[in-house]
């Protein structure tokens, strides 16, 4: 498999420019095998799409070593057994019986690093995987070849360490053969490296060309499909979303300008964004339901104020094919997470709960268009936005959201709807199997509009 190309780090995975290497956090993962002497299958579990880290990705069960589990090899074994029980509902009684298979360390060029120890174990007789449906939403037994083929077809998402392990395991005919190979051999750490190639960077392993040459961080730029870049370059309107100090998302229509050379998107403060970068976590939603070829692209990024406006550095880009809310959005991001341990070892950031109180219904809502950009705060602390069909229900004093977009991590909390002329902030809540926004403040937005109506 060729080295993996990347562009920018995803949130929480920024490059380390301090000059001091971060100490890797200890982690453990377990590769559960079945098939005995006849064949080889292994267990993969799918992380929830709502996760801040590698949502929707299929991984080996695993996670960080808890402080109470101690240090050294014994702690890694205990952690691996615990994670298997928590994520797949399978109990392995003897951590000492696990067979060490590999050890992967996050590249030194990354701020947040993990030192992950991978173990082999045979599936206990009579036990079947049982997932919680929350952190883990699916599971499956795969042969290494079938898992890699499913990934190539786009049926399942895999990350770099998982792919490399599957490629290695594909060289064995049976579970017994893998275990016999692994027992008694020395396990040496594998530490991938990031190296620069023009305006991109790639992941290389020890022994591959370029290993040891290092990464020139300033050489990176956003690497996206042509159709997404065309939207950035040609579209003259987008919704800009930021988050206030109280956790309330706010969305405005803006005029973005794409800097292809720098891989950033500039937003002019002429659009009324005086406090546009008070919170550096922002989003830009490019969507136009009136186009003959409807498209929808969400950019989540970090914002910095510069002369004349705000510069947004994309950290993650999602694109919905044909703006279809029933289709899984295509995720484009920096995938430095691919060289980590393929598990979520950082706590979710969380978001503000609904504020409560009485709705503030404004007469302007009665003439609300039938679509709006819905924004809310995702589990990673970044705002998330998606254009949805809406209906103003004056009798109930709520705005009804007539969709539950696939891939959108909507949870009850504070939300905002932006129609291009109106901004409606309030409580985003579930009601009778659907979503509603209970408005607390309505404002006219757009060029020259700054009036607000609140009850």
């Amino acid at each position: 498999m060729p080295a993996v190309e990347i562009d920018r780090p995803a949130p929480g995975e920024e490059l380390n420019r301090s000059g001091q290497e971060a100490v890797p956090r200890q982690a453990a993962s377990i590769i559960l095998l079945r098939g005995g002497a006849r064949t080889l299958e292994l267990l993969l579990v799918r992380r929830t799409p709502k996760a801040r880290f590698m949502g929707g990705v299929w991984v080996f069960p695993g996670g960080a070593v808890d402080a109470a589990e101690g240090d050294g090899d014994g702690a890694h074994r205990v952690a691996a057994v615990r994670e298997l029980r928590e994520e797949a509902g399978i109990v392995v009684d003897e951590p000492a019986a696990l067979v060490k298979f590999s050890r992967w360390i996050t590249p030194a060029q990354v701020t947040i690093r993990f030192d992950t120890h991978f173990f082999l174990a045979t599936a206990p007789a009579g036990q079947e995987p049982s997932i919680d449906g929350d952190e883990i939403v699916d599971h499956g037994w795969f042969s290494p070849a079938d898992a890699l083929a499913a990934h190539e077809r786009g049926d399942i998402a895999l990350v770099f360490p998982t792919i490399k392990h599957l490629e290695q395991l594909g060289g064995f005919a049976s579970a017994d053969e893998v275990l016999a190979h692994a027992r008694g051999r020395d396990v040496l750490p594998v530490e991938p490296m990031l190296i620069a190639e023009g305006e991109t960077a790639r992941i290389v392993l020890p022994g591959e060309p370029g290993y040891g040459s290092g990464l020139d961080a300033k050489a990176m730029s956003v690497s996206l499909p042509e159709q997404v870049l065309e939207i950035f370059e040609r579209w003259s309107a987008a919704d800009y979303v930021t988050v206030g100090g109280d956790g309330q998302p706010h969305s405005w229509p803006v005029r973005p300008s794409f800097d292809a050379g720098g891989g950033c998107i500039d937003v002019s403060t002429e659009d009324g964004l005086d406090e546009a970068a008070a919170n550096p976590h922002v989003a830009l939603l490019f969507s136009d339901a009136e186009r003959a070829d409807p498209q929808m692209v969400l950019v989540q990024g970090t914002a910095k104020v510069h002369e004349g406006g705000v510069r947004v550095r994309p950290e993650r880009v999602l694109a919905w094919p044909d703006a279809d809310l029933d289709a899984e959005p295509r995720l484009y991001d920096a995938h430095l997470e691919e060289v980590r341990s393929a598990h979520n070892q950082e706590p979710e950031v969380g978001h503000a709960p609904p504020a409560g109180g009485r709705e503030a219904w404004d007469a302007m809502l009665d003439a609300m268009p039938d679509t709006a950009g819905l924004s809310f705060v995702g589990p990673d602390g970044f705002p998330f936005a998606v254009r949805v069909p809406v209906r103003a229900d004056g009798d109930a004093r709520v705005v009804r959201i007539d969709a539950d977009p696939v891939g959108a991590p909507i949870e009850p909390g504070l939300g905002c709807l932006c129609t291009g002329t109106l901004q409606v902030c309030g409580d985003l809540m579930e009601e009778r199997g659907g979503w509603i926004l209970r408005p607390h403040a309505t404002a006219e937005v757009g060029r020259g509009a700054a009036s607000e109506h609140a009850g």
Side-chain angles (χ1 to χ4, degrees), residues 2 4 27 32 42 57 85 226 253 335 384 420 428 437:
V4 175
L32 195 67
L42 45 85
V57 171
R85 181 181 67 252
E226 289 185 8
H335 287 308
F384 195 104
L428 183 59
L437 187 81

Side-chain angles (χ1 to χ4, degrees), residues 73 77 98-102 117-120 182 185 187:
D73 181 71
R77 292 172 179 273
L98 301 182
V99 178
K100 178 74 75 69
F101 185 67
S102 65
H117 296 238
F118 290 81
F119 296 91
L120 302 174
R185 72 182 183 93
V187 172

